[in-house]
Amino acid sequence: MDRMLSSEEAAKRLGVKITTLYAYVSRGLVSSHPNPNGRSSLFDLDDIERLAQRSRGGRQSESRLATVTTSVTQLHQHGGPFYRGRAATELVATLHFEEVAALIWNQPPEDDWSPVALGPCPLVGTLDRMRWALVVCGANDPLRSDLRPEAVTRAARRVIASLTDVIATGPTGGDGDAAIAQRLAHRLGARDPVAVAEALDAALILMADHELATSTMAVRVATSVHTDIYDALLVGLATLAGPLHGGASQEAHELLVRAERDGVATALNEVLRQKRYLPGFGHAVYKSGDARHDALMRLVEPLLDPEQSDLVHEVIALAAEHRVPLPNCDLALAALSWGLGLPSDSGRTIFAIARVSGWTAHYLEELTEPPLRFRARAVYSV
């Protein structure tokens, strides 16, 4: 009971008057505690939160964030994300990533996907190289405050190309006219870039946007103060970096490495003991399975050796036998990176490059909304 609210803050959290709050006390719905100042009462935050949860079926508590209306992506329980009304899982068979980006941006397709001349890149990890590249892209744009859609999407194309160009492994330069997936295959050091490019193109499409994911929400908050596109994308990249978001596929990659080394049962048991969950399994939205996983695995599996394919299936089968939630897109990204001998953080790299397109779409959409509309309401705890 170390988190206590004053009567004013408790009433505000419940969205009621103070007199109503004390009526709840008299009815035994919530307990009050003496305030050391002797003039009022204190309320336990957890008790108030529980009462607020119960009350949502009736009187609504005060909204704490703006409602976000979007036309970019809709999530379907069984079909996955739909971009502008079109299923991402179907777009992988008909369009390339560059065309899907134009669809998401609601702009005509463009052929210019050339990177910025960045100069010597620092010898740091991939994610830090991408952050550095994004900052340099902004610094080299003399009109970075131009918020017209054509200017914003031009900047986004250059950012995507530049982030691809600074990936640490593989040759660089000389392929400025190639598709982003083809460049990415080279940068990641794929042994057969041509064969891998198709799977990478699908991964980029499937990861392009996912409605109001955490990083996307961060981008929209930054956009609401009319920051330029480079700074907004930097906010998204920073948020995506966490292991519970863009970094989840790297943990799934490590799970497959351990399964190959120690055996499937041992690896899954050890990971469950350490983390209490299996990376690459379960999703807050897709309770019946992540359609993105199935769509990507159809292209990844032919690239795997038979032994690798068997191991992935064994991992999924053992998890299913013990009623672990179904696999998600992070496991498919992990199978791609692990099976093809790519760097362990390749899933996060693919995720970040792809998601720049979605962030840009939400950036453009947020610019049409009233500025400064995101103001969370705090409940002061004593």
Side-chain angles (χ1 to χ4, degrees):
M1 204 172 68
D2 56 339
R3 298 182 300 169
M4 305 298 290
L5 305 179
S6 68
S7 55
E8 291 80 8
E9 291 294 334
K12 183 170 72 172
R13 176 66 188 93
L14 293 170
V16 300
K17 297 179 180 179
I18 292 180
T19 53
T20 304
L21 172 65
Y22 282 101
Y24 291 163
V25 173
S26 65
R27 290 160 54 191
L29 297 176
V30 66
S31 298
S32 63
H33 306 273
N35 192 323
N37 65 22
R39 295 191 299 270
S40 60
S41 298
L42 295 177
F43 295 84
D44 184 81
L45 175 59
D46 291 336
D47 287 343
I48 295 298
E49 288 292 337
R50 280 191 289 270
L51 184 56
Q53 290 286 343
R54 289 173 55 190
S55 70
R56 288 193 181 124
R59 184 187 180 105
Q60 296 292 316
S61 59
E62 185 175 5
S63 176
R64 305 175 80 183
L65 274 178
T67 298
V68 177
T69 301
T70 180
S71 301
V72 179
T73 300
Q74 183 180 22
L75 304 183
H76 290 248
Q77 176 63 235
H78 300 290
F82 278 57
Y83 305 149
R84 306 284 183 189
R86 301 180 64 180
T89 55
E90 296 177 4
L91 292 175
V92 299
T94 57
L95 298 178
H96 292 295
F97 169 65
E98 292 84 349
E99 298 168 304
V100 172
L103 169 68
I104 293 174
W105 297 337
N106 207 22
Q107 294 287 308
E110 296 284 352
D111 294 329
D112 183 10
W113 289 77
S114 56
V116 173
L118 298 172
C121 185
L123 297 176
V124 293
T126 303
L127 190 61
D128 284 330
R129 291 165 73 93
M130 296 172 79
R131 292 191 184 104
W132 170 85
L134 184 47
V135 171
V136 175
C137 284
N140 279 277
D141 187 346
L143 298 180
R144 61 188 293 174
S145 297
D146 189 348
L147 302 184
R148 293 174 301 153
E150 59 269 28
V152 169
T153 54
R154 180 173 61 249
R157 293 195 305 273
R158 290 165 67 85
V159 166
I160 290 171
S162 299
L163 296 189
T164 304
D165 216 35
V166 298
I167 295 173
T169 60
T172 60
D175 58 358
D177 293 331
I180 294 297
Q182 294 170 337
R183 299 184 220 179
L184 186 56
H186 282 283
R187 301 298 188 271
L188 291 173
R191 292 186 294 270
D192 187 352
V194 176
V196 174
E198 182 181 3
L200 288 175
D201 196 43
L204 291 169
I205 291 171
L206 294 168
M207 301 299 119
D209 192 53
H210 205 247
E211 199 216 55
L212 296 179
T214 308
S215 57
T216 304
M217 196 66 198
V219 169
R220 293 194 76 129
V221 171
T223 309
S224 72
V225 297
H226 287 187
T227 186
D228 63 63
I229 181 63
Y230 302 99
D231 285 338
L233 293 176
L234 194 60
V235 169
L237 193 58
T239 309
L240 175 141
L244 300 182
H245 193 13
S249 62
Q250 187 168 359
E251 292 193 341
H253 178 110
E254 296 302 325
L255 172 65
L256 295 177
V257 170
R258 295 176 68 164
E260 183 179 35
R261 183 189 65 215
D262 304 328
V264 170
T266 299
L268 268 61
N269 187 61
E270 284 300 301
V271 170
L272 281 170
R273 182 180 63 81
Q274 294 168 2
K275 298 182 179 294
R276 316 302 298 177
Y277 67 92
L278 280 185
F281 289 83
H283 197 283
V285 176
Y286 308 122
K287 303 301 183 183
S288 302
D290 186 346
R292 297 171 300 170
H293 167 271
D294 298 340
L296 184 53
M297 280 302 298
R298 280 194 291 271
L299 294 173
V300 170
E301 191 157 2
L303 302 174
L304 304 178
D305 295 335
E307 296 81 5
Q308 293 173 326
S309 179
D310 290 344
L311 185 138
V312 173
H313 283 289
E314 189 178 347
V315 167
I316 295 173
L318 183 58
E321 182 181 338
H322 290 268
R323 298 185 179 179
V324 171
L326 294 168
N328 60 38
C329 61
D330 292 316
L331 185 67
L333 287 173
L336 175 62
S337 60
W338 165 77
L340 302 181
L342 306 182
S344 62
D345 63 352
S346 295
R348 183 177 62 188
T349 300
I350 296 164
F351 196 117
I353 292 171
R355 197 54 60 92
V356 169
S357 61
W359 293 336
T360 301
H362 286 273
Y363 179 88
L364 290 169
E365 195 171 65
E366 186 61 36
L367 287 177
T368 67
E369 298 286 352
L372 297 168
R373 67 182 180 132
F374 296 102
R375 180 64 170 89
R377 294 297 304 275
V379 178
Y380 181 71
S381 174
V382 295

Short mmCIF file of all heavy atoms in Angstrom, two decimals, residues 20 43 71 111 114 125 132 143 145 154 180 198 202 206 219 223 259 283 316 321 324 327 347 349 353 375 381:
data_model
loop_
_atom_site.label_atom_id
_atom_site.label_comp_id
_atom_site.label_asym_id
_atom_site.label_seq_id
_atom_site.Cartn_x
_atom_site.Cartn_y
_atom_site.Cartn_z
N THR A 20 -19.19 11.30 -4.92
CA THR A 20 -19.47 9.94 -5.42
C THR A 20 -18.42 8.96 -4.93
O THR A 20 -18.72 7.81 -4.58
CB THR A 20 -19.51 9.95 -6.96
OG1 THR A 20 -20.48 10.89 -7.41
CG2 THR A 20 -19.85 8.57 -7.50
N PHE A 43 -6.26 6.85 -0.80
CA PHE A 43 -6.81 5.66 -1.43
C PHE A 43 -5.68 4.89 -2.11
O PHE A 43 -4.81 5.48 -2.75
CB PHE A 43 -7.88 6.04 -2.45
CG PHE A 43 -9.08 6.70 -1.83
CD1 PHE A 43 -9.07 8.06 -1.56
CD2 PHE A 43 -10.19 5.96 -1.50
CE1 PHE A 43 -10.17 8.67 -0.97
CE2 PHE A 43 -11.30 6.56 -0.92
CZ PHE A 43 -11.28 7.92 -0.65
N SER A 71 -6.32 5.36 -41.72
CA SER A 71 -6.69 4.67 -42.95
C SER A 71 -5.53 3.87 -43.51
O SER A 71 -5.62 3.33 -44.61
CB SER A 71 -7.16 5.68 -44.01
OG SER A 71 -8.26 6.42 -43.56
N ASP A 111 10.63 5.81 -59.03
CA ASP A 111 11.77 4.94 -59.32
C ASP A 111 13.04 5.33 -58.56
O ASP A 111 13.97 4.53 -58.48
CB ASP A 111 12.08 4.98 -60.82
CG ASP A 111 10.96 4.37 -61.66
OD1 ASP A 111 10.28 3.46 -61.15
OD2 ASP A 111 10.76 4.82 -62.80
N SER A 114 17.54 6.12 -54.40
CA SER A 114 18.99 6.25 -54.24
C SER A 114 19.33 6.70 -52.82
O SER A 114 18.61 7.50 -52.22
CB SER A 114 19.54 7.26 -55.25
OG SER A 114 18.88 8.51 -55.12
N GLY A 125 27.89 -1.18 -34.14
CA GLY A 125 26.91 -2.19 -34.48
C GLY A 125 25.90 -1.70 -35.51
O GLY A 125 25.77 -0.50 -35.77
N TRP A 132 22.98 6.46 -37.04
CA TRP A 132 23.92 7.44 -37.58
C TRP A 132 23.51 7.85 -38.99
O TRP A 132 23.50 9.05 -39.33
CB TRP A 132 25.34 6.84 -37.58
CG TRP A 132 26.36 7.66 -38.32
CD1 TRP A 132 27.08 8.71 -37.83
CD2 TRP A 132 26.76 7.49 -39.68
NE1 TRP A 132 27.91 9.21 -38.81
CE2 TRP A 132 27.74 8.48 -39.95
CE3 TRP A 132 26.41 6.61 -40.69
CZ2 TRP A 132 28.35 8.60 -41.20
CZ3 TRP A 132 27.01 6.72 -41.94
CH2 TRP A 132 27.97 7.71 -42.19
N LEU A 143 16.18 21.23 -46.98
CA LEU A 143 14.77 21.60 -46.81
C LEU A 143 14.05 20.49 -46.04
O LEU A 143 12.96 20.06 -46.41
CB LEU A 143 14.11 21.83 -48.17
CG LEU A 143 14.69 22.98 -49.01
CD1 LEU A 143 13.95 23.10 -50.33
CD2 LEU A 143 14.63 24.29 -48.26
N SER A 145 12.43 20.63 -43.45
CA SER A 145 11.16 21.07 -42.86
C SER A 145 10.02 21.12 -43.86
O SER A 145 8.91 21.53 -43.51
CB SER A 145 11.34 22.46 -42.21
OG SER A 145 12.27 22.39 -41.15
N ARG A 154 9.81 11.43 -50.60
CA ARG A 154 11.15 11.44 -51.22
C ARG A 154 12.21 11.23 -50.15
O ARG A 154 13.15 10.45 -50.33
CB ARG A 154 11.39 12.75 -51.97
CG ARG A 154 12.75 12.81 -52.64
CD ARG A 154 12.91 14.03 -53.53
NE ARG A 154 12.77 15.29 -52.80
CZ ARG A 154 11.75 16.12 -52.94
NH1 ARG A 154 10.76 15.83 -53.77
NH2 ARG A 154 11.71 17.24 -52.24
N ILE A 180 15.32 -2.75 -53.27
CA ILE A 180 15.79 -2.72 -51.88
C ILE A 180 16.05 -4.13 -51.38
O ILE A 180 17.06 -4.38 -50.69
CB ILE A 180 14.76 -2.01 -50.99
CG1 ILE A 180 14.66 -0.52 -51.36
CG2 ILE A 180 15.14 -2.16 -49.51
CD1 ILE A 180 15.93 0.27 -51.16
N GLU A 198 13.82 -12.75 -52.87
CA GLU A 198 12.36 -12.90 -52.91
C GLU A 198 11.79 -12.99 -51.50
O GLU A 198 10.77 -12.37 -51.17
CB GLU A 198 11.96 -14.12 -53.72
CG GLU A 198 10.45 -14.30 -53.83
CD GLU A 198 10.05 -15.54 -54.62
OE1 GLU A 198 10.95 -16.30 -55.03
OE2 GLU A 198 8.83 -15.75 -54.82
N ALA A 202 9.37 -10.21 -49.46
CA ALA A 202 8.14 -10.55 -48.74
C ALA A 202 8.20 -10.10 -47.29
O ALA A 202 7.23 -9.56 -46.74
CB ALA A 202 7.91 -12.06 -48.81
N LEU A 206 5.60 -7.60 -45.38
CA LEU A 206 4.82 -8.06 -44.23
C LEU A 206 5.11 -7.25 -42.97
O LEU A 206 4.26 -7.13 -42.09
CB LEU A 206 5.10 -9.54 -43.98
CG LEU A 206 4.63 -10.49 -45.08
CD1 LEU A 206 5.22 -11.88 -44.87
CD2 LEU A 206 3.11 -10.55 -45.13
N VAL A 219 6.11 7.63 -33.11
CA VAL A 219 6.28 8.51 -34.29
C VAL A 219 5.13 9.49 -34.38
O VAL A 219 5.33 10.68 -34.66
CB VAL A 219 6.38 7.66 -35.57
CG1 VAL A 219 6.29 8.55 -36.81
CG2 VAL A 219 7.69 6.88 -35.59
N THR A 223 5.26 13.48 -34.33
CA THR A 223 4.70 14.23 -35.46
C THR A 223 3.71 15.29 -35.00
O THR A 223 3.58 16.35 -35.63
CB THR A 223 4.01 13.27 -36.44
OG1 THR A 223 4.90 12.20 -36.76
CG2 THR A 223 3.59 13.99 -37.71
N ALA A 259 18.51 -24.69 -30.04
CA ALA A 259 17.82 -25.94 -30.39
C ALA A 259 18.71 -26.82 -31.26
O ALA A 259 18.75 -28.05 -31.09
CB ALA A 259 16.51 -25.64 -31.10
N HIS A 283 0.97 -13.81 -29.83
CA HIS A 283 0.78 -12.43 -30.28
C HIS A 283 -0.45 -11.85 -29.62
O HIS A 283 -1.47 -12.53 -29.47
CB HIS A 283 0.63 -12.38 -31.81
CG HIS A 283 0.84 -11.03 -32.38
ND1 HIS A 283 -0.11 -10.03 -32.33
CD2 HIS A 283 1.92 -10.47 -33.01
CE1 HIS A 283 0.36 -8.94 -32.91
NE2 HIS A 283 1.58 -9.18 -33.32
N ILE A 316 8.19 -26.03 -33.45
CA ILE A 316 6.78 -25.63 -33.48
C ILE A 316 5.89 -26.74 -32.93
O ILE A 316 4.94 -26.49 -32.17
CB ILE A 316 6.36 -25.25 -34.92
CG1 ILE A 316 7.12 -24.00 -35.38
CG2 ILE A 316 4.86 -25.02 -35.01
CD1 ILE A 316 6.91 -23.65 -36.85
N GLU A 321 2.41 -28.99 -28.74
CA GLU A 321 2.06 -30.11 -27.86
C GLU A 321 1.83 -29.65 -26.43
O GLU A 321 0.99 -30.20 -25.71
CB GLU A 321 3.18 -31.14 -27.91
CG GLU A 321 2.93 -32.39 -27.07
CD GLU A 321 4.08 -33.37 -27.14
OE1 GLU A 321 4.86 -33.29 -28.11
OE2 GLU A 321 4.21 -34.20 -26.22
N VAL A 324 1.68 -24.02 -26.08
CA VAL A 324 2.29 -22.70 -26.17
C VAL A 324 1.57 -21.95 -27.29
O VAL A 324 1.17 -22.55 -28.29
CB VAL A 324 3.81 -22.82 -26.50
CG1 VAL A 324 4.43 -21.47 -26.81
CG2 VAL A 324 4.53 -23.49 -25.33
N PRO A 327 3.13 -19.76 -33.39
CA PRO A 327 4.28 -18.95 -33.81
C PRO A 327 3.86 -17.64 -34.48
O PRO A 327 2.80 -17.56 -35.10
CB PRO A 327 5.02 -19.86 -34.80
CG PRO A 327 4.01 -20.85 -35.26
CD PRO A 327 3.08 -21.05 -34.10
N GLY A 347 16.85 -9.98 -38.43
CA GLY A 347 15.40 -9.77 -38.32
C GLY A 347 15.07 -8.36 -37.91
O GLY A 347 14.17 -7.73 -38.48
N THR A 349 17.00 -5.77 -38.34
CA THR A 349 17.40 -4.90 -39.45
C THR A 349 16.32 -4.84 -40.51
O THR A 349 15.93 -3.77 -40.99
CB THR A 349 18.71 -5.41 -40.07
OG1 THR A 349 19.74 -5.41 -39.06
CG2 THR A 349 19.14 -4.55 -41.23
N ILE A 353 14.04 -1.42 -41.48
CA ILE A 353 13.99 -0.86 -42.83
C ILE A 353 12.56 -0.88 -43.36
O ILE A 353 12.08 0.10 -43.94
CB ILE A 353 14.93 -1.65 -43.76
CG1 ILE A 353 16.39 -1.38 -43.36
CG2 ILE A 353 14.71 -1.26 -45.22
CD1 ILE A 353 17.39 -2.27 -44.05
N ARG A 375 -1.97 14.23 -24.99
CA ARG A 375 -1.64 14.72 -23.64
C ARG A 375 -2.17 13.70 -22.65
O ARG A 375 -3.34 13.70 -22.30
CB ARG A 375 -2.27 16.10 -23.39
CG ARG A 375 -1.97 16.68 -22.01
CD ARG A 375 -0.47 16.94 -21.84
NE ARG A 375 -0.17 17.70 -20.64
CZ ARG A 375 0.06 17.14 -19.45
NH1 ARG A 375 0.00 15.83 -19.32
NH2 ARG A 375 0.34 17.91 -18.41
N SER A 381 0.48 10.14 -7.36
CA SER A 381 0.51 9.18 -6.27
C SER A 381 1.44 9.68 -5.16
O SER A 381 2.52 10.18 -5.43
CB SER A 381 1.01 7.83 -6.79
OG SER A 381 1.18 6.92 -5.73
#
